[in-house]
């Protein structure tokens, strides 16, 4: 199913008018890339990422927890791509759907290392992973993960939320278990941000 998902995501981005490509880093699914070149400074790149692989660690059921981890993020980047299509921006917008996240950030690490080796000017990487779950009794909020992220980018993003969605509670905190593809970019010196469900 991984290759079918990869091809479907690419088709969706192509249908929206994005320039698409695949970054092949191993024998499995590739990183799907959808570019919308900037008008005045196309060398500067803003990446919005999510991962399309899912894995079931349980031995009692065959279903993987893919709806939240991370179809929620993939759905979000596709909707953001739809909303922004046809507009003009100074910087290049790059939508990345990563494979291999569940097995150790494989796709994002390979791609971030590639961009690093090319001297790419990635001004921000925003990862959307697990953004759709809210436990019973929890307030509706967006939480910004502070580890492996850039404080100035987090602060900017939180201010944007407060300005445009003032009724939404904004929090920040340390993620004690697991990580996501933003971490690969952060380790390669790129500014990273990871808004999370809780």
């Amino acid at each position: 199913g991984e290759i079918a998902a990869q091809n479907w995501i690419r088709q969706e981005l192509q249908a929206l008018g994005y320039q698409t490509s695949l970054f092949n880093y191993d024998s499995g699914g590739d990183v799907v890339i959808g570019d919308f070149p900037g008008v005045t400074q196309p060398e500067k790149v803003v990446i919005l990422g999510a991962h399309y692989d899912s894995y079931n660690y349980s031995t009692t059921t065959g279903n993987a927890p893919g709806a939240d981890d991370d179809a929620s993020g993939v759905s979000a980047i596709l909707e953001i791509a739809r909303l922004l299509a046809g507009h003009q921006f100074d910087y290049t917008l790059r939508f990345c759907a990563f494979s291999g996240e569940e097995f150790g950030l494989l796709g994002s690490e390979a791609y971030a290392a590639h961009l690093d080796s090319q001297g790419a000017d990635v001004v921000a990487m925003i990862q959307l992973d697990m953004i759709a779950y809210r436990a019973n009794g929890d307030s509706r909020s967006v939480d910004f993960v502070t580890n492996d992220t850039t404080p100035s980018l987090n602060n900017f993003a939180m201010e944007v939320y407060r300005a445009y969605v003032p009724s939404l509670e904004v929090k920040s905190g340390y993620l004690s278990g697991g990580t996501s593809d933003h971490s690969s970019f952060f380790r390669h010196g790129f500014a990273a941000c990871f808004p999370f469900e809780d």
Side-chain angles (χ1 to χ4, degrees):
E2 185 178 35
I3 303 302
Q6 164 199 286
N7 293 338
W8 181 82
I9 294 166
R10 186 178 189 183
Q11 289 168 3
E12 291 295 303
L13 288 168
Q14 284 175 335
L16 293 169
Y18 289 83
Q19 299 173 5
T20 66
S21 60
L22 299 175
F23 180 75
N24 183 357
Y25 66 95
D26 69 5
S27 60
D30 299 332
V31 177
V32 181
I33 300 166
D35 268 356
F36 194 46
V39 176
T40 62
Q41 299 181 75
E43 71 283 358
K44 294 186 179 295
V45 180
V46 175
I47 295 176
L48 286 91
H51 70 91
Y52 65 90
D53 64 310
S54 184
Y55 186 77
N56 181 12
Y57 292 94
S58 169
T59 58
T60 60
T61 175
N63 296 326
D68 188 35
D69 187 12
D70 185 31
S72 63
V74 172
S75 299
I77 67 167
L78 289 175
E79 179 63 2
I80 294 166
R82 184 188 71 80
L83 291 168
L84 298 182
H87 297 280
Q88 292 188 334
F89 300 93
D90 292 329
Y91 299 170
T92 294
L93 300 181
R94 178 167 297 160
F95 295 87
C96 291
F98 299 107
S99 58
E101 191 271 354
E102 296 291 352
F103 290 99
L105 314 181
L106 303 179
S108 61
E109 172 55 33
Y111 189 56
H114 168 73
L115 293 176
D116 191 7
S117 72
Q118 300 293 309
D121 191 359
V122 177
V123 298
M125 190 286 175
I126 302 163
Q127 177 69 5
L128 301 178
D129 185 355
M130 299 177 69
I131 60 169
Y133 175 76
R134 182 166 57 106
N136 289 334
D138 279 2
S139 62
R140 189 175 303 274
S141 66
V142 59
D143 296 10
F144 284 82
V145 174
T146 56
N147 42 313
D148 292 343
T149 60
T150 306
S152 59
L153 183 57
N154 285 340
N155 291 336
F156 173 75
M158 288 188 278
E159 287 303 314
V160 169
Y161 267 94
R162 290 183 184 112
Y164 285 92
V165 195
S167 62
L168 182 64
E169 186 178 6
V170 177
K171 301 177 183 179
S172 64
Y174 188 87
L175 183 64
S176 59
T179 189
S180 192
D181 296 306
H182 68 285
S183 184
S184 299
F185 287 82
F186 182 79
R187 287 195 305 265
H188 283 276
F190 301 120
C193 182
F194 183 29
F196 190 61
E197 61 196 8
D198 200 358

